[in-house]
Amino acid sequence: MTATTTFRIGGDLEVRRLGFGAMHLRPDSAEARAACLAVARRAVELGVTLIDTAHMYGWGANEDLLAEALHPYPDGLVIATKAGIRRTSSGEGWRHAGEPADLRAQVDEALLRLRLDRIELLQLHRLDPGVPLADQLGALRELRDEGKVGRIGLSEVTVAELSEARAVVDIASVQNRYNLLDREHEAVLKACEAAGIAFLPWRPVAAGTSGARAEIAAVAKEADATPTQVVLAWLLAHSPVILPIPGTTSIPHLEENVAADAVHLDRDQYDRLRSLRSESDLNGS
């Protein structure tokens, strides 16, 4: 099976389908910071054109790091970020922040941190249950119309929520948890596929546990690839709208991930992997 290697987000923003998730680049020392900067720069050297970040990743520090590593950005590089969550000193350490004024402030903050005039893909990190969806997306639509945002995406939504959102504004992407061994959001993926919406699976390699499955290890041996490469190649073959964004703080691991779009699974290998039961099935949940 041969998977396409590029996708046009929103119908016009072309990126390499295999991107990079920057979430783990949160250094706690000068040495670690240098290593994280090197990983981000190496991703671009390897041809990655889509990097995913968020305000929540270090409460702005991740966006700052990407700007330090990569600005001025090369032509064609898309830095996608997220808004809609604020830090707190209690509970889980964060709260929903979907009030229109707060979303506007968060976008302005992200523009400053990323040193951008326009965020090509701005994703609502979580829907705020305390704010009407039309108000949240209406604020982002206004920011898009003003030129501060190019395209609008969602994260962790259901099919019904996606449908409701699309009635308010064009949705260019959805970012839900999804991988070979966790396909809870298959229906959302299919809805995205039907509408031509990019689907960015987070945790795309099953939290690094893929190699423990004998079936995956067998296909990896046949394909002369690693288990991680095989599960990423399966995602690319599974749907043309999937844009995996694996993350890492290791350059060798990064290089392994990025090489996955050169791994080609035949129909039998793809089907054998597709027939695997998910981790939730195996745990009886």
Side-chain angles (χ1 to χ4, degrees), residues 7-282:
F7 183 83
R8 293 182 182 273
I9 300 174
D12 62 347
L13 184 66
E14 187 169 30
V15 297
R16 181 177 178 179
R17 286 180 62 200
L18 192 52
F20 174 68
M23 181 179 70
H24 298 297
L25 302 184
R26 305 190 209 180
D28 55 7
S29 67
E31 182 180 5
R33 187 172 189 84
C36 288
L37 292 170
V39 168
R41 290 167 180 153
R42 183 59 178 151
V44 174
E45 290 173 356
L46 292 169
V48 168
T49 58
L50 174 63
I51 295 179
D52 177 79
T53 183
H55 169 63
M56 190 181 188
Y57 304 161
W59 305 113
N62 194 259
E63 293 169 322
D64 283 331
L65 185 142
L66 290 175
E68 179 181 345
L70 302 172
H71 191 272
Y73 302 110
D75 291 343
L77 178 63
V78 174
I79 308 292
T81 193
K82 307 180 199 71
I85 287 178
R86 287 289 196 186
R87 188 177 192 174
T88 65
S89 58
S90 60
E92 296 182 352
W94 63 272
R95 63 172 176 82
H96 293 97
E99 290 287 350
D102 203 348
L103 289 173
R104 279 186 160 276
Q106 291 173 63
V107 168
D108 285 340
E109 292 162 12
L111 288 167
L112 286 173
R113 285 191 294 263
L114 291 168
R115 307 178 202 174
L116 289 169
D117 296 320
R118 169 182 164 111
I119 297 168
E120 292 297 343
L121 178 60
L122 188 284
Q123 300 168 99
L124 190 57
H125 209 151
R126 293 292 186 274
L127 303 184
D128 188 335
V131 179
L133 182 59
D135 291 352
Q136 298 176 66
L137 294 177
L140 298 185
R141 183 182 58 214
E142 290 175 1
L143 288 162
R144 184 200 63 188
D145 293 345
E146 293 166 14
K148 291 184 176 182
V149 168
R151 294 150 200 85
I152 297 167
L154 304 172
S155 181
E156 286 302 286
V157 293
T158 64
V159 172
E161 289 167 338
L162 174 58
S163 178
E164 184 182 355
R166 293 182 65 211
V168 179
V169 69
D170 291 337
I171 299 299
S173 70
V174 168
Q175 188 166 332
N176 279 19
R177 188 190 70 251
Y178 187 91
N179 57 63
L180 172 62
L181 300 179
D182 180 359
R183 286 173 259 167
E184 176 185 348
H185 296 294
E186 188 75 26
V188 180
L189 169 60
K190 294 307 179 187
C192 288
E193 190 174 311
I197 294 171
F199 185 90
L200 284 63
W202 61 270
R203 199 178 292 167
V205 293
T209 63
S210 302
R213 299 293 292 268
E215 303 93 332
I216 298 173
V219 171
K221 183 175 181 181
E222 294 167 13
D224 192 23
T226 67
T228 293
Q229 289 173 332
V230 163
V231 296
L232 288 171
W234 185 88
L235 286 173
L236 292 169
H238 185 52
S239 172
V241 305
I242 287 183
L243 280 61
I245 45 170
T248 181
T249 59
S250 160
I251 286 181
H253 190 194
L254 169 69
E255 292 172 343
E256 174 189 358
N257 289 344
V258 174
D261 63 5
V263 175
H264 300 294
L265 304 176
D266 62 30
R267 171 57 68 174
D268 175 69
Q269 291 167 334
Y270 168 82
D271 287 341
R272 283 156 55 198
L273 294 172
R274 185 178 59 179
S275 69
L276 290 178
R277 298 174 67 193
S278 68
E279 295 293 344
S280 59
D281 290 338
L282 291 175

